């Protein structure tokens, strides 16, 4: 990833004039996969970056307070990063933040919406099926009542008031 490249540049530019513009990265971010906010990483490039941090710490302690131009004190995180590595660290952190917010606000909302919608649709489908069964039952019943009324009329008899009333109700 880009953060791994930035960490490798950090490791390569220690004690060089390029360190300030290329590899200046907060010490807490070295050796981690998430830019210093989580657990240690086990990949080789991060191990090299961690060794570079240790080297910087040793160099700082060996200088015994001398203010030489080759001093490589551990740099704290700056709100306006000036090095390639620090810029990519900050981008990595923002990317993780945006990803977490996306999951929290978009994906969670969409899955909840889908669950609620599925529940409502299933409820209405069950109700529609019940109505269809009732309709089929009454259509069959009215059809039989009409057949009975037609049989009675073909025999030359009149349909009873009870039969007409039953036909109207159904």
């Amino acid at each position: 990833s880009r953060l791994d490249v930035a960490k490798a540049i950090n490791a390569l530019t220690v004690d060089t004039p390029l360190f300030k513009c290329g590899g200046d990265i907060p010490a807490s971010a070295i050796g981690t996969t998430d830019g210093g906010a989580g657990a240690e990483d086990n990949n080789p490039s991060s191990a090299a970056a961690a060794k570079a941090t240790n080297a910087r710490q040793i160099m700082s302690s060996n200088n015994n307070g001398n203010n030489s131009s080759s001093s490589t004190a551990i740099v704290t995180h700056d709100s306006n990063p000036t090095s390639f590595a620090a810029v990519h660290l900050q981008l990595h952190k923002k990317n993780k933040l945006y990803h977490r917010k996306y999951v929290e606000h978009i994906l969670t909302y969409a899955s909840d919406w889908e669950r609620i919608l599925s529940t409502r649709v299933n409820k209405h489908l069950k109700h529609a099926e019940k109505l269809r069964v009732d309709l089929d039952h009454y259509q069959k019943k009215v059809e039989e009542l009409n057949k009975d009324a037609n049989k009675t009329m073909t025999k030359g008899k009149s349909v009873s008031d009870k039969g007409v009333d039953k036909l109207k109700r159904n």
Side-chain angles (χ1 to χ4, degrees):
S1 74
R2 289 182 178 168
L3 184 60
D4 292 333
V5 171
K7 287 178 185 178
I9 289 173
N10 174 273
L12 293 172
T13 59
V14 170
D15 293 332
T16 67
L18 295 174
F19 182 72
K20 285 290 183 192
C21 66
D24 196 4
I25 190 170
S28 63
I30 306 227
T32 62
T33 56
D34 62 354
E40 291 293 317
D41 187 11
N42 292 325
N43 72 30
S45 65
S46 294
K51 287 179 186 175
T53 301
N54 291 338
R56 283 189 282 160
Q57 290 171 340
I58 291 168
M59 289 293 291
S60 295
S61 64
N62 286 342
N63 285 337
N64 294 327
N66 295 341
N67 288 336
S68 65
S69 62
S70 65
S71 177
T72 55
I74 297 173
V75 179
T76 59
H77 182 64
D78 188 9
S79 62
N80 294 321
T82 56
S83 72
F84 177 81
V87 167
H88 281 285
L89 171 68
Q90 218 169 29
L91 288 173
H92 179 73
K93 286 181 178 179
K94 280 193 183 222
N95 186 23
K96 286 186 72 167
L97 173 73
Y98 292 152
H99 178 266
R100 190 177 71 241
K101 285 186 177 188
Y102 177 78
V103 167
E104 179 184 341
H105 296 289
I106 304 298
L107 296 181
T108 304
Y109 175 80
S111 63
D112 288 345
W113 179 76
E114 189 266 339
R115 181 182 46 81
I116 290 168
L117 192 64
S118 295
T119 303
R120 288 180 182 175
V121 167
N122 286 335
K123 180 181 133 188
H124 288 290
L125 284 174
K126 287 178 184 177
H127 182 70
E129 180 63 19
K130 183 184 177 293
L131 291 175
R132 187 196 59 79
V133 168
D134 287 347
L135 177 66
D136 289 346
H137 168 75
Y138 283 105
Q139 281 179 336
K140 188 176 176 183
K141 191 172 182 180
V142 166
E143 190 177 305
E144 288 177 7
L145 289 173
N146 277 333
K147 281 183 185 177
D148 289 343
N150 285 340
K151 275 185 187 176
T152 305
M153 288 171 43
T154 55
K155 291 181 184 176
K157 297 182 183 177
S158 66
V159 180
S160 66
D161 289 340
K162 186 177 175 184
V164 171
D165 188 39
K166 201 175 197 182
L167 191 58
K168 285 181 183 178
R169 279 183 296 166
N170 290 300

